[in-house]
Amino acid sequence: MSTFRKQYAVARPVYSEESFSDDHEKIYRKRKTLLDHMKQYLTCDSKRAKNATLSLLPIIGWMKIYRFKEWLPGDVVSGISTGLVAIMQGLAFAMLAELPASYGLYTAFFPVLVYFIFGTSRHLSVGSFPVLSLMVGAVVIRLVPDAGPPANITDFEGLSRDQQRVLVASSMTFLMGIFQLGMGVLQVGFVVRYLSDTLVSGFTTAAAVHILVSQLKFVLGLDVPGISGPLSIIYTLEKIFAQISSTNICDLVMSILIMLAVYAVKELNEIYKAKLPVPIPIEAISTVIACGASYGFNFKMTFGVGVVGKMVQGYEAPFAPNVQILQESAVEAFPTAIVGFAVAFSVAKVYAIKHDYIIDGNQELIAFGLSNIFGASFRSFAASTALSRTAVQESSGGKTQIAGLISALMAMIVTLALGFLLEPLPRSVLGALVIINLKGMLMQFREVPYLWRKDKPDCVVWVLTCVSACLLGLDLGLAVGLGVELLTVVFRTQFPRCAVLANIPGTDLYRDSKDYLHLFEPRGVKIFRIPSPIFFANVDFFKDKLTAAVGFNPLRVLRKRNKALKKIKKLCQGEHLDFTEVDWNDKFPDGISVPRVDIHSLILDFSAVSFLDIAAIKGLKTVIRDFLRIDVDVYIASCDAYILEKLQSCQFFDQEILTSMFFVTLHDAMLHALEKQKGDRHKDRVFNNTKL
């Protein structure tokens, strides 16, 4: 069905960049120097001080608009619901960090207090995250292994194995916080943009596989030592299968029942989320039931089930991190800091868009940095967020971080008064809760076929990140993933899809000549488009593609013509012939061969070229000169003003390459080329019409 389309007609002169500048006065802006930027950054007045305070303390901004009657009931209900989930996840994820379960409650309390003041997201549930817990656990196992002596750390003397592990986890978390705080202060929150959604998906899927394998020993009730380093997942599976005949049936049955119950209720929560006032806290319910059954039937003595055991009552005095551990864990702490922030920021961004408010990446780095530093001083481990926990906080009516504060208070109550009730909780139940919460991350495997169909380089990034993180460990896997991702970027820019363009008849539009029927390509004019920056890595590719597009190498043609001219002059010795211009497409005597050049004008479409480096400028200048010397006019269209300025500053223009070669649009360049050719049609031939 055809629809009426509006028509437009424009009558204007054909503009080169030079003539356009003559007709339209340009505003020349004074560009700020680095010193100017530093002065502006360091200048302080009352307005800037106020803005800086509001930026550093976002709590002031949202507390001023807090609607107590409307928002407080929702925050209270949300805080209680989130607190139940946070307590269970804290206990479970502490096992991933190879720590006593009670320290997971510390992570559900201390970091939340700081984020409440400094965080910009109103819906993020701060606390333990399984991927970070696993990354911390890898360092803990390396420095304090299950079998064998711990690392040679001075402060380990006189400490139990659990205390040593808490010291390692807290010290690494402190360093992680230092990295995050430093990046926030230096305003480098943009680094998280280098972690694409594809890379994060592959990485978190690999982390889910690691977590799944690490929890099998609890689900099966086996005594398998923790293993870290490359191929740790293989070695762990080997040890599990070596002991598979020793599986504790009670642990296995409890785990299966818990996973089935939690999965079923979570599905019901999802189906009836519009009707349920709050999601059913199935993790908390199943934990209470498991605790009661374990206590009533004495699972520990009767069936040999491993339980949480002694819970730490209350809070200990803050302590300083160990310098030796900081040095030992620096390599792992940095990627952990990046991953923790990347996950939290991506989740926060989703809810900020949904509820129409702004989050600040650099302030989030500061908030998480301070949260982890403060929490580590009180023996908590790495904090970020968990998507499931944040979803509970938002879906149950949470409006602000008051919900997070209430969830932290619930964790405090359990730590101070109710912790002893969790002592008979089977560890297999916590393992089952961890595994069932991996569903979302493990389902990311379904992205692979989609990525393969839609974007193969992205699919390669996903697969290689996932495989390398599974086999080499999360830290090395992340590095490999980043390397592969950067290589794909280099690949896309180094080998862009160049095209020869043609005109859509009756319009000033130009499209790839391979993509459309009935295009008009004026005889003797070739339009070449490169859709990427031109720099040292792809300038040779640009030359090769241009040569293929025009069908000849201008430098080779020039050399052949020079040789032919010498032969012609030699043949014409003694004859008084007047050489003016040579028609190089005419027929020559036997023994003289010159490549045919069927174009008189070459137009380069620079609309997608965002920058040129020095190597590209030199290469472009050489290419243009080669074409000009074989009588092919070269024009450049739609060139960015910044690139023109750079060409001027790099002394690109001379007596051969003129500013008049640059045109505002492709159509301007095409019209100029055709008009110029009309005036150049009649040229004298060699030998004054005398044939050889």
Side-chain angles (χ1 to χ4, degrees):
M1 178 179 172
S2 61
T3 57
F4 175 75
R5 297 191 180 107
K6 291 184 178 180
Q7 304 286 319
Y8 76 89
V10 176
R12 64 169 177 83
V14 172
Y15 277 129
S16 67
E17 291 285 354
E18 197 173 59
S19 61
F20 184 82
S21 298
D22 292 339
D23 290 357
H24 301 276
E25 187 176 356
K26 185 178 180 181
I27 299 173
Y28 287 94
R29 293 170 292 173
K30 182 182 178 182
R31 299 191 182 276
K32 292 181 179 179
T33 64
L34 180 61
L35 184 61
D36 293 331
H37 283 291
M38 289 295 293
K39 285 180 179 178
Q40 183 180 2
Y41 185 76
L42 296 174
T43 300
C44 185
D45 54 29
S46 58
K47 185 177 179 181
R48 288 202 68 187
K50 179 183 176 181
N51 291 337
T53 303
L54 291 173
S55 175
L56 185 63
L57 300 172
I59 185 175
I60 298 173
W62 60 261
M63 281 298 288
K64 287 195 302 184
I65 61 170
Y66 193 82
R67 304 171 192 170
F68 282 90
K69 289 184 179 180
E70 295 178 37
W71 292 357
L72 188 59
D75 278 339
V76 171
V77 172
S78 173
I80 294 171
S81 303
T82 308
L84 293 172
V85 178
I87 290 167
M88 298 306 108
Q89 289 187 349
L91 296 172
F93 297 161
M95 297 199 312
L96 290 174
E98 303 294 337
L99 301 174
S102 56
Y103 287 94
L105 298 178
Y106 288 15
T107 307
F109 177 67
F110 289 108
V112 180
L113 301 180
V114 178
Y115 189 85
F116 174 77
I117 299 171
F118 295 98
T120 59
S121 173
R122 301 176 193 172
H123 296 88
L124 208 64
S125 175
V126 176
S128 54
F129 177 55
V131 177
L132 297 194
S133 301
L134 193 68
M135 296 176 81
V136 171
V139 178
V140 170
I141 285 295
R142 178 166 62 82
L143 297 182
V144 188
D146 286 325
N152 186 21
I153 306 293
T154 306
D155 287 356
F156 280 176
E157 294 181 11
L159 299 180
S160 66
R161 191 183 69 172
D162 284 348
Q163 290 173 328
Q164 292 172 348
R165 290 187 167 186
V166 169
L167 179 61
V168 171
S170 299
S171 297
M172 178 183 170
T173 301
F174 187 91
L175 183 57
M176 170 186 164
I178 292 293
F179 283 134
Q180 290 175 330
L181 179 61
M183 288 189 290
V185 170
L186 295 174
Q187 304 284 291
V188 292
F190 64 86
V191 295
V192 74
R193 295 173 190 166
Y194 291 99
L195 300 179
S196 67
D197 291 344
T198 304
L199 184 145
V200 171
S201 174
F203 177 78
T204 53
T205 304
V209 174
H210 274 282
I211 294 167
L212 175 63
V213 171
S214 71
Q215 296 306 292
L216 288 177
K217 63 182 181 182
F218 299 114
V219 169
L220 299 174
L222 302 177
D223 185 17
V224 177
I227 302 171
S228 63
L231 301 180
S232 60
I233 196 169
I234 304 297
Y235 298 138
T236 302
L237 286 172
E238 180 187 11
K239 291 184 178 297
I240 288 173
F241 283 111
Q243 301 180 33
I244 198 72
S245 58
S246 303
T247 298
N248 188 306
I249 302 301
C250 183
D251 274 323
L252 180 59
V253 171
M254 270 195 304
S255 299
I256 293 173
L257 291 175
I258 289 291
M259 285 190 281
L260 290 174
V262 172
Y263 176 78
V265 175
K266 279 181 175 288
E267 289 298 308
L268 291 173
N269 282 339
E270 185 64 26
I271 294 170
Y272 297 106
K273 63 181 178 182
K275 297 181 180 179
L276 292 171
V278 294
I280 300 171
I282 184 60
E283 287 99 339
I285 294 171
S286 57
T287 300
V288 170
I289 293 173
C291 271
S294 176
Y295 179 77
F297 295 100
N298 198 4
F299 282 176
K300 181 178 180 181
M301 301 301 297
T302 307
F303 302 108
V305 170
V307 297
V308 168
K310 182 67 175 175
M311 293 285 290
V312 177
Q313 296 291 323
Y315 297 109
E316 302 175 51
F319 75 112
N322 180 272
V323 176
Q324 288 177 277
I325 296 175
L326 296 181
Q327 295 171 345
E328 290 284 341
S329 62
V331 174
E332 293 92 345
F334 185 73
T336 306
I338 295 292
V339 171
F341 170 66
V343 171
F345 187 70
S346 61
V347 173
K349 194 161 55 174
V350 170
Y351 290 103
I353 293 171
K354 181 178 179 179
H355 293 278
D356 193 25
Y357 62 89
I358 297 172
I359 57 172
D360 181 350
N362 291 312
Q363 180 60 30
E364 285 293 289
L365 273 170
I366 292 173
F368 275 105
L370 292 173
S371 296
N372 281 305
I373 290 171
F374 180 72
S377 301
F378 288 91
R379 296 171 177 79
S380 75
F381 57 91
S384 177
T385 190
L387 181 57
S388 59
R389 197 169 59 242
T390 299
V392 169
Q393 180 164 317
E394 189 267 346
S395 62
S396 57
K399 300 294 184 183
T400 65
Q401 279 300 325
I402 286 180
L405 185 63
I406 292 172
S407 73
L409 294 177
M410 289 189 64
M412 182 187 72
I413 291 169
V414 172
T415 303
L416 295 176
L418 304 178
F420 70 94
L421 296 175
L422 296 170
E423 291 179 359
L425 178 64
R427 295 168 72 88
S428 57
V429 171
L430 294 177
L433 291 176
V434 170
I435 291 173
I436 202 63
N437 277 291
L438 296 177
K439 177 197 167 189
M441 288 193 284
L442 291 173
M443 293 298 283
Q444 292 175 143
F445 275 113
R446 294 184 300 181
E447 295 179 12
V448 176
Y450 172 82
L451 289 172
W452 182 254
R453 290 193 305 269
K454 301 297 183 182
D455 195 323
K456 288 181 174 57
D458 264 4
C459 185
V460 171
V461 170
W462 196 102
V463 171
L464 290 182
T465 301
C466 184
V467 171
S468 57
C470 282
L471 297 179
L472 302 178
L474 295 181
D475 48 354
L476 292 177
L478 180 62
V480 171
L482 275 171
V484 174
E485 184 178 53
L486 293 176
L487 282 176
T488 63
V489 174
V490 171
F491 178 82
R492 292 174 197 264
T493 54
Q494 190 168 349
F495 304 105
R497 183 181 178 272
C498 300
V500 173
L501 306 183
N503 178 249
I504 296 178
T507 74
D508 59 353
L509 305 176
Y510 293 81
R511 292 293 183 267
D512 191 335
S513 58
K514 295 179 181 179
D515 292 342
Y516 291 86
L517 298 173
H518 312 303
L519 294 182
F520 172 62
E521 194 169 1
R523 186 177 177 184
V525 181
K526 192 72 73 174
I527 305 174
F528 182 77
R529 181 175 189 268
I530 178 168
S532 79
I534 307 176
F535 58 107
F536 68 92
N538 69 356
V539 65
D540 290 331
F541 178 82
F542 163 71
K543 293 178 183 177
D544 294 341
K545 284 294 182 181
L546 181 58
T547 299
V550 298
F552 58 86
N553 185 322
L555 185 59
R556 181 173 174 271
V557 170
L558 181 61
R559 289 171 179 169
K560 286 280 188 180
R561 286 185 178 183
N562 288 335
K563 288 181 180 180
L565 199 58
K566 289 179 181 178
K567 289 182 180 181
I568 292 170
K569 287 181 178 180
K570 189 174 182 181
L571 287 172
C572 296
Q573 282 181 357
E575 298 186 26
H576 299 288
L577 297 175
D578 181 24
F579 287 87
T580 54
E581 293 186 7
V582 178
D583 183 355
W584 291 106
N585 289 330
D586 204 352
K587 186 177 180 181
F588 289 92
D590 294 339
I592 299 178
S593 171
V594 178
R596 187 176 180 84
V597 176
D598 293 323
I599 65 171
H600 57 74
S601 300
L602 171 65
I603 302 175
L604 301 177
D605 179 8
F606 267 35
S607 58
V609 178
S610 56
F611 75 86
L612 301 171
D613 67 359
I614 297 298
I617 291 173
K618 290 179 180 177
L620 180 63
K621 192 168 187 175
T622 301
V623 167
I624 293 175
R625 277 180 173 167
D626 289 343
F627 277 103
L628 292 177
R629 288 170 183 174
I630 60 170
D631 302 321
V632 175
D633 294 327
V634 180
Y635 306 103
I636 296 177
S638 305
C639 186
D640 184 80
Y642 166 76
I643 294 179
L644 278 172
E645 290 178 11
K646 185 166 186 179
L647 293 176
Q648 291 277 10
S649 65
C650 292
Q651 299 178 340
F652 179 78
F653 300 103
D654 53 27
Q655 293 181 344
E656 285 184 285
I657 303 175
L658 308 174
T659 55
S660 58
M661 295 164 52
F662 286 74
F663 284 80
V664 175
T665 69
L666 269 179
H667 204 56
D668 287 285
M670 174 64 78
L671 294 176
H672 175 82
L674 295 177
E675 186 65 29
K676 183 175 183 297
Q677 185 59 21
K678 286 181 183 178
D680 294 344
R681 267 183 192 163
H682 305 292
K683 296 183 179 180
D684 293 333
R685 289 188 179 182
V686 72
F687 315 130
N688 290 331
N689 297 323
T690 303
K691 292 187 178 180
L692 291 170

